[in-house]
Amino acid sequence: MAIVLRFVDIDGFLRERFFSIVNVADTTAATLKKEIFDSLGRYDLHIHNMKGQGYDGASNMRGSWNGLQTLFLKDCSCAYYVHCFAHRLQLSLIAAAEKEISIWLFFLKLNSICNLIIASLKRHPELHSTQRNEIAHMVATGERDTGRGFNQIGNLLRSGKTRWSSNFDSLCSMVDMYGYAIIVLENMLDERSSNSIRGEASGLLIAMKSFDFIFILHFMQKIMGLTNLLCRALQEISLDIFLNTMDHVSTTKTLLHVLREQWFDIVLNYVKEVCEKYDIEIPHMEARYKSSRSRSCQQNDSITV
């Protein structure tokens, strides 16, 4: 268990300092409270001086009856509990994204691609080698500039379940490494891999070379780029929750509205350019949209793609 102290110093400045790491036998509220109490007591820091406590949203931490925050409130009524705002935002965004089936499926496929490539001691170096050769070719032909910090070798990044910002990092890595990942997967079909590996690679290639995958990849990168700024702001040490946070929330909502109303066609045109570059079929946008959840003859609407 990691313990971090947040306090106001003698000059009135807000400070946040790592305090200690404690080995715990289990994660029950009673055990955690005892370990925190003992750790603070060793440095003559008293519980009754606590003015706040912050944890994640697990039941053993925030429980109203037997949670860690409740046990501390019994000893010190001023130690108000605050669930990390950045963590709450991330959980809300994950829950909202998983409500849309196409988004949920996209992230499932994205994680499968990353796991298949970077978990292998053979394919991970192959990804780097493919990228290195392509960069060298583009530099030689003048398609890339050279200089300090340019043309760095990148990696595919896995996303985390409860950290929304890791999904954004994973998206950005796929945007940068898309072409190289396709080459690695295509090579897997030609090499003497097991049928299960080749079958998985073939299925992921079909998914990657679809318009839906490209569209969601770039559209979610735009959306998450905006929400990621808010996530970062909510984790700033000096953040004044009353003066600044609502401004950040309001700005994010405004930018998302602008994305919906004004940027959509721009994003769509860019996605079409990417599809043309990789010879991916682009659906006819004025054609009637067919839902995958019902027969086309049962659809009474006239919604286009």
Side-chain angles (χ1 to χ4, degrees), residues 113-138:
I113 295 166
C114 294
N115 289 332
L116 185 63
I117 293 178
I118 66 179
S120 170
L121 294 176
K122 176 182 178 181
R123 291 186 285 273
H124 197 190
E126 184 181 347
L127 180 68
H128 287 173
S129 176
T130 301
Q131 187 180 6
R132 190 179 297 109
N133 294 337
E134 182 68 16
I135 290 175
H137 173 73
M138 295 179 73

Side-chain angles (χ1 to χ4, degrees), residues 132-146 151:
R132 190 179 297 109
N133 294 337
E134 182 68 16
I135 290 175
H137 173 73
M138 295 179 73
V139 168
T141 57
E143 296 180 56
R144 277 181 177 259
D145 296 328
T146 57
N151 305 318

